[in-house]
Amino acid sequence: RLTTLYSRTLFDAVLAKESDKAGRFGYALSLIMFDVDRLSAINEDFGYGVGDKVLERLGILMRTYFRQHDWVARFSEDQIVVLLTQTDADRAVELAERVRHTVEERLWFTDHRTDHQVPVTVSASVVNVSVSVGDVVDPERLLAISERTLDAAKQNGRNRVETVDGAPSIQARLPNF
């Protein structure tokens, strides 16, 4: 409700359905996961109301960057996930970078105690999977790889995008009978 984005429950159902369709029709999937850098510190230092405003503004921003048929959902407390179907891998990375850059440039707030601007940034992971007809895509593995890649973006300095292309452990070819 706060972010005006889809819920995690709905996203999980859509991801399972789209993963199945990608295997039936052989089209690419990209999963972008964003995480607000240091949101818990923002909540502790400035109050949960400020953190909620950051998430609200981020949700509004996210909806402007993606196509109407892309799935943008709040994944957890400080994470937003986007499922792109039939999108070029380079385009998915470009979109993630544009969002990251726009957040860095526009999504700040003023600490009224000191009148200093407080920057807000996001880290992101992009997992691109080329799917052939007959492949089985495991949505849980896709999410797990995305979360590990997002952790790498955080560990490598935050406010960055890490990418995985291919991710062969996500898909398995069914045997021909």
Side-chain angles (χ1 to χ4, degrees):
R1 190 177 282 184
L2 173 71
T3 62
T4 70
L5 302 176
Y6 293 117
S7 69
R8 166 78 188 264
T9 305
L10 178 61
F11 181 81
D12 287 342
V14 167
L15 179 60
K17 185 174 183 168
E18 289 296 337
S19 296
D20 181 58
K21 281 174 52 178
R24 277 190 285 132
F25 300 112
Y27 61 76
L29 290 175
S30 294
L31 188 68
I32 305 172
M33 189 174 286
F34 295 95
D35 186 287
V36 180
D37 294 328
R38 298 182 173 91
L39 183 64
S40 57
I42 290 171
N43 284 332
E44 289 174 17
D45 293 345
F46 303 102
Y48 283 87
V50 173
D52 286 349
K53 278 289 186 203
V54 167
L55 289 170
E56 179 182 33
R57 289 174 58 199
L58 184 59
I60 292 166
L61 175 90
M62 290 287 184
R63 289 185 21 228
T64 65
Y65 270 90
F66 298 98
R67 302 169 297 190
Q68 189 172 0
H69 65 273
D70 293 330
W71 291 90
V72 184
R74 186 164 181 193
F75 189 72
S76 68
E77 174 69 25
D78 54 358
Q79 292 178 336
I80 293 175
V81 67
V82 182
L83 177 63
L84 306 171
T85 59
Q86 302 180 37
T87 301
D88 179 76
D90 291 337
R91 178 75 175 135
V93 174
E94 177 189 328
L95 284 166
E97 280 291 353
R98 284 180 54 202
V99 169
R100 185 205 59 75
H101 179 73
T102 301
V103 168
E104 181 181 32
E105 292 294 314
R106 296 185 189 167
L107 208 66
W108 49 268
F109 61 92
T110 301
D111 179 353
H112 294 291
R113 297 171 295 192
T114 63
D115 282 334
H116 289 106
Q117 287 184 353
V118 178
V120 176
T121 60
V122 293
S123 297
S125 65
V126 180
V127 179
N128 296 305
V129 184
S130 296
V131 182
S132 299
V133 174
D135 285 352
V136 176
V137 178
D138 183 344
E140 290 179 22
R141 283 186 180 170
L142 180 59
L143 287 169
I145 290 170
S146 187
E147 288 185 282
R148 280 197 307 269
T149 306
L150 183 60
D151 288 343
K154 295 270 201 193
Q155 292 171 359
N156 291 332
R158 293 185 172 86
N159 192 26
R160 59 182 294 120
V161 175
E162 294 285 338
T163 304
V164 173
D165 289 320
S169 64
I170 294 170
Q171 58 205 63
R173 196 103 174 114
L174 290 178
N176 293 330
F177 292 102

